[in-house]
Amino acid sequence: MNQPLPPDANPLQKPRGVLFWLSLFIVIAGLMNAIPGVPGLDAGLRNLTGLDWIKIRRFPTEWFYPLAFGLMMLCVVLKHSAWKSWKSEPKGKRQFGLLLDLAMVAAAFTISFTYIVEIESICLIDQFTGERDRLIAEALRIETEIADTMGLPAPTTVEDPSCVANTGGWLVLIIGLTVLIFLAYNVRVWGLALVLVALVVALYTIITVLVWYFHGPEDINKYLMTKLAGEPRALADGRPRVHDILVNNSAGLLGRFMNIMLNTIFPYLVLGSLFGASAGGQSLIKLAFRWTRKLRGGPAHAAIVSSAMFGTISGGPIVNVLSTGVLTIPMMLRRGFSKVFAGGVEAAASSGGSIMPPVMGVAAFVLASLTVVPYSQVIIAAIIPAIAYFFCLFLSVIFQTRKQKIEAIGELTDDMRMSRQDILNLAMIFGPILLILVLLLTTKEMVGCGLLGGVLGAERSIVDGACTVQSLSWFQQAVQNAAGDAGSAGWWAVMLLIALLFVDPEVRKMPSKIVDALSDAGILVSTLYLMFLAVSIIDFCLQFTGLPNFISLDVLGWLQTLNLGQDGAVGFQLIALLVTMFIAILLGMGMPAVPAYINVALLMGPVLAGLGIATFTAHMFIFYFAVASAITPPIALAAFAAASITKANPMATGFSAVKSGIVMFVIPFVFALYPEILLIEAAVIDPVKSASGVDVFLPGYDGTTNWPALMLVLCRIALALYLLSSSLAGFDHRKLAAWEILLRLGLAVLILSFSIPFQLVGVIGAMAILFWHASTERRKPA
């Protein structure tokens, strides 16, 4: 029997154990590292302490990354300890769990220590033995002699020398064993799907290396052999490449994904955790119900609005469902919506949060990094596809209300009335979002030249309409340092949200809620990087074997042999896009969007680029289908989460989510063939002709936006989506016959085709069928 709590006990208070303080330390260190450039901060700190080397921001990566990695993996073990979770299991299994936990901690700190021993910028052992100073002095002497001979200024620095004392041949064993341990722990935390892909790729790499070693490179298929070096063949020749796997800044275990995590994504993960602790979420849902009360869809429309707003901060479909769905789904059921539809539309709306600007989830930040496109451009590119997606969700709700004869409430109910506190709480939602938008969409050149530039203290001159800034105020310098930078925008949004949280009287009464949310963010960051480890393994194994290049060349060659005629380029693209879609959905089953996107981008990105689809557009296409996997049966995680609330059949809920969110499967094909709707220059750059380094645009594009032509395309898309959505619902003003459903689907295809005659036939046919449908419905007696 449960004992009552003492009067002074707080049921929300979390125990302050090692995990709590460790995760809190990770967040504080991460936020300090992510501090944007604040004017005078660095100089003031050095003047205050008298230490020229002191830093509280942008820590040296060669020291910070291994330390952060070791602590994050320790945090993962404390949170997901096999030994603790298997308390009730047999003694042997629990002892194995303890062994697994200890192995994980040992592997993490072994990698961290090996990293600082092997990386040339540190060479830890050489620093103790004095070899590093000797090598640097010798290299400097040689460079000075060369400079004297050529009459050049004497150099003061040289490149970091290679480490003399290192792990030698043991490095291969260290990397191999630690990778296995990381994958084993990934099974516990992230499930088997991701690990199976990583294991298959890793085994493929090992087997092909052994084929080269024992068989040799002659008379062997390129897919079956990974060459390490020349003759004589020796596995020791692979050490430089294994060393690269560890310390490479772009593809190593602590490389680009650690950089993305700590310098870009980190503030947004903290922001999402703080948002979950705020009272703004319920006020937002109340506002959404208020806004949509006069629509027949009422709570279903409110679910779409609130999930879009909540999802743009949380970025996680499952978290979104469990946060907003617990309020919106019961409201939908009370209004008469079926359980399957209510769960499906909530899952589809929550998944849409991952494609909703300005904060689109972790995968969008990874996309920006892999395509080298500023995140501010990514959110611009995502605007029209996101509007199309939620437009289609609204349509599916409208058709469902007509089908079930659900009427609008109209009047304000008690649960829609906004109190003064609700209005204040909304600042927690809209304040950080608006700040992120302003900072991301402001260019550094704009600061000081706007309408308020002079008022805020900028000294400037305007000659012939051109603005030249001589000096900026402290505030404007801070804005300029953060402008256009996703990490800096996220950091300032976190600081703003922490301040706004004190608007909530509950937070003022119990400020520890903020500390708890920060600690939860540390656990989330650590757990997420464990997933990135598995992705890193796939990444470096694919690069090691050269598999993506082989696939790209062979697929392109195969497509050329199909001889599709005059429109072969479009035909090739459609085939490759369909294959990419199926791979993305297949790999995304039961897997988060990040690894699903990265895995497919590594394999199929070069193929799509080779067919003339801009690199950015290709990655956006893959990104959309990685997100869509959350609602795609048979493993539709977001739909299953919604079904746990509705108690409906999970598989039926998944299919309902696909019908409601069908545009997520359609719009990627539209912007792949009509990249102008992405609105940015990177979407129309020809990747083949631009390989030399000079940007060349795709045929028919010049890098600018033709607004009249774009509006015509958007009108066609809207009409096609209406036909598609009504066809899948099987309902418009009344139930659609089978022939009408097929006709609408066919007309939608014609409308989106490249042929102008086909487009005209599609548009005229669509207008005729819609007019006929509406007029025959109106002529029916009431």
Side-chain angles (χ1 to χ4, degrees):
M1 184 175 178
N2 293 330
Q3 297 296 321
L5 291 169
D8 59 345
N10 177 10
L12 298 178
Q13 185 72 38
K14 295 183 180 181
R16 300 292 196 256
V18 176
L19 174 62
F20 175 86
W21 294 111
L22 176 61
S23 58
L24 185 61
F25 175 78
I26 290 171
V27 167
I28 293 173
L31 288 176
M32 288 178 64
N33 175 69
I35 294 175
V38 177
L41 176 63
D42 296 331
L45 185 64
R46 288 193 292 267
N47 292 334
L48 181 65
T49 61
L51 301 172
D52 290 338
W53 53 266
I54 193 166
K55 298 190 75 170
I56 63 167
R57 58 179 292 271
R58 304 303 181 194
F59 304 129
T61 58
E62 62 268 27
W63 289 104
F64 184 55
Y65 285 5
L67 175 63
F69 175 73
L71 294 179
M72 285 194 294
M73 294 305 100
L74 177 59
C75 183
V76 169
V77 172
L78 291 174
K79 175 64 178 177
H80 301 279
S81 170
W83 181 67
K84 283 185 179 179
S85 62
W86 292 344
K87 276 185 178 179
S88 58
E89 300 293 334
K91 183 179 178 181
K93 184 175 181 179
R94 196 173 181 214
Q95 288 177 340
F96 175 74
L98 178 61
L99 179 64
L100 184 61
D101 290 343
L102 294 175
M104 180 65 180
V105 174
F109 284 98
T110 298
I111 284 292
S112 296
F113 180 74
T114 306
Y115 180 88
I116 60 178
V117 167
E118 291 281 346
I119 192 167
E120 287 80 1
S121 58
I122 297 179
C123 294
L124 185 65
I125 298 176
D126 285 358
Q127 294 202 28
F128 282 108
T129 61
E131 281 293 312
R132 182 170 179 80
D133 290 338
R134 184 186 66 79
L135 290 171
I136 291 176
E138 179 65 18
L140 189 59
R141 182 187 64 79
I142 294 172
E143 291 290 334
T144 302
E145 290 178 356
I146 295 173
D148 289 341
T149 303
M150 303 183 67
L152 299 173
T156 57
T157 59
V158 292
E159 290 186 4
D160 292 318
S162 298
C163 306
V164 175
N166 53 40
T167 55
W170 291 100
L171 180 63
V172 178
L173 182 63
I174 290 170
I175 297 296
L177 288 178
T178 53
V179 161
L180 288 176
I181 293 169
F182 294 146
L183 290 178
Y185 226 84
N186 254 295
V187 175
R188 276 194 51 73
V189 179
W190 289 102
L192 190 59
L194 174 60
V195 176
L196 276 178
V197 176
L199 277 176
V200 168
V201 175
L203 285 174
Y204 169 78
T205 303
I206 294 170
I207 291 171
T208 55
V209 167
L210 293 177
V211 168
W212 165 80
Y213 179 69
F214 288 107
H215 181 276
E218 292 79 20
D219 301 323
I220 191 75
N221 187 282
K222 61 187 176 183
Y223 286 100
L224 302 179
M225 182 269 299
T226 296
K227 189 176 181 181
L228 293 184
E231 299 291 340
R233 299 188 299 276
L235 291 176
D237 292 332
R239 188 192 185 281
R241 299 180 73 176
V242 176
H243 172 270
D244 192 57
I245 286 169
L246 177 65
V247 303
N248 190 305
N249 288 330
S250 62
L253 286 173
L254 306 184
R256 63 177 169 187
F257 293 121
M258 181 66 83
N259 178 54
I260 295 170
M261 171 67 73
L262 293 179
N263 295 323
T264 304
I265 300 171
F266 195 95
Y268 295 94
L269 297 175
V270 177
L271 188 70
S273 185
L274 289 171
F275 178 69
S278 77
Q282 290 193 357
S283 298
L284 174 64
I285 293 173
K286 188 180 292 187
L287 179 65
F289 281 130
R290 185 185 181 95
W291 280 349
T292 59
R293 70 185 187 278
K294 294 184 179 180
L295 300 175
R296 295 175 67 178
H301 289 306
I304 296 171
V305 173
S306 58
S307 294
M309 294 295 295
F310 185 89
T312 195
I313 294 179
S314 72
I318 299 173
V319 174
N320 204 342
V321 168
L322 297 177
S323 299
T324 61
V326 292
L327 296 174
T328 59
I329 287 177
M331 290 287 289
M332 283 190 272
L333 297 180
R334 284 200 293 271
R335 287 295 309 282
F337 287 98
S338 67
K339 290 183 177 181
V340 169
F341 179 82
V345 78
E346 174 60 44
S350 295
S351 298
S354 298
I355 60 171
M356 180 69 180
V359 185
M360 300 160 58
V362 176
F365 291 99
V366 177
L367 181 149
S369 177
L370 294 185
T371 58
V372 200
V373 172
Y375 185 72
S376 57
Q377 293 287 293
V378 174
I379 63 174
I380 292 173
I383 291 173
I384 291 178
I387 292 173
Y389 181 74
F390 287 101
F391 167 71
C392 209
L393 282 183
F394 264 79
L395 286 178
S396 69
V397 171
I398 290 170
F399 296 138
Q400 186 71 19
T401 57
R402 292 174 181 175
K403 184 187 296 186
Q404 294 189 230
K405 296 182 172 59
I406 297 173
E407 297 298 330
I409 295 177
E411 73 277 1
L412 279 173
T413 59
D414 290 339
D415 54 4
M416 297 179 192
R417 300 190 186 280
M418 301 288 290
S419 66
R420 178 175 176 274
Q421 186 59 49
D422 284 321
I423 296 172
L424 292 174
N425 288 343
L426 291 175
M428 304 176 196
I429 307 298
F430 295 109
I433 291 177
L434 288 175
L435 179 61
I436 290 171
L437 275 174
V438 168
L439 289 177
L440 286 181
L441 299 181
T442 299
T443 62
K444 296 186 184 298
E445 295 77 15
M446 291 169 58
V447 178
C449 284
L451 293 175
L452 298 177
V455 176
L456 295 175
E459 293 184 10
R460 57 189 182 168
S461 59
I462 301 176
V463 180
D464 296 331
C467 174
T468 303
V469 177
Q470 281 79 41
S471 66
L472 297 171
S473 65
W474 180 91
F475 172 76
Q476 289 171 319
Q477 289 179 48
V479 172
Q480 188 180 61
N481 290 338
D485 181 71
S488 298
W491 191 90
W492 284 114
V494 168
M495 296 302 110
L496 176 63
L497 181 55
I498 290 175
L500 291 174
L501 283 172
F502 286 95
V503 169
D504 184 1
E506 294 297 321
V507 172
R508 293 198 300 271
K509 187 190 305 181
M510 194 170 58
S512 60
K513 290 179 69 174
I514 297 178
V515 182
D516 291 338
L518 292 174
S519 176
D520 290 341
I523 295 172
L524 174 62
V525 167
S526 303
T527 307
L528 190 61
Y529 196 72
L530 179 65
M531 178 189 71
F532 275 128
L533 272 181
V535 175
S536 297
I537 292 166
I538 296 169
D539 184 15
F540 68 64
C541 283
L542 290 177
Q543 302 304 321
F544 201 87
T545 60
L547 186 63
N549 293 331
F550 299 155
I551 291 177
S552 176
L553 292 173
D554 287 350
V555 169
L556 291 174
W558 169 69
L559 289 174
Q560 295 294 338
T561 63
L562 295 180
N563 191 22
L564 295 181
Q566 185 178 2
D567 297 327
V570 177
F572 297 153
Q573 290 176 356
L574 282 173
I575 294 173
L577 290 170
L578 284 168
V579 171
T580 304
M581 177 191 74
F582 286 120
I583 294 175
I585 292 174
L586 183 65
L587 287 181
M589 289 182 181
M591 190 186 298
V594 176
Y597 157 67
I598 294 173
N599 293 340
V600 182
L602 292 172
L603 285 173
M604 295 302 294
V607 175
L608 298 180
L611 288 170
I613 297 174
T615 300
F616 176 80
T617 306
H619 278 253
M620 276 289 283
F621 180 91
I622 297 166
F623 163 70
Y624 258 68
F625 281 107
V627 172
S629 64
I631 59 171
T632 309
I635 309 177
L637 297 181
F640 291 177
S644 70
I645 300 173
T646 62
K647 308 303 180 187
N649 183 288
M651 198 64 66
T653 303
F655 284 111
S656 175
V658 169
K659 286 201 298 183
S660 295
I662 190 63
V663 74
M664 195 178 286
F665 300 86
V666 175
I667 201 68
F669 286 95
V670 176
F671 65 63
L673 301 178
Y674 295 95
E676 60 265 35
I677 71 172
L678 296 181
L679 300 178
I680 65 172
E681 186 178 284
V684 293
I685 292 177
D686 191 320
V688 178
K689 296 179 181 177
S690 303
S692 61
V694 179
D695 287 347
V696 178
F697 297 109
L698 294 169
Y701 298 99
D702 59 6
T704 61
T705 301
N706 184 337
W707 289 104
L710 177 62
M711 294 309 298
L712 285 175
V713 171
L714 294 181
C715 289
R716 286 166 45 212
I717 291 172
L719 182 58
L721 290 180
Y722 187 94
L723 295 173
L724 178 64
S725 187
S726 60
S727 298
L728 291 178
F731 207 93
D732 193 340
H733 293 286
R734 54 174 166 74
K735 184 177 180 180
L736 300 179
W739 68 267
E740 193 173 353
I741 291 174
L742 293 175
L743 179 59
R744 290 188 179 212
L745 291 174
L747 290 172
V749 173
L750 291 177
I751 290 170
L752 295 177
S753 68
F754 276 105
S755 170
I756 293 179
F758 284 174
Q759 293 171 15
L760 290 174
V761 170
V763 170
I764 294 171
M767 299 303 292
I769 191 72
L770 293 177
F771 175 78
W772 171 81
H773 179 88
S775 60
T776 54
E777 183 64 20
R778 280 197 299 269
R779 287 198 296 268
K780 285 186 176 180

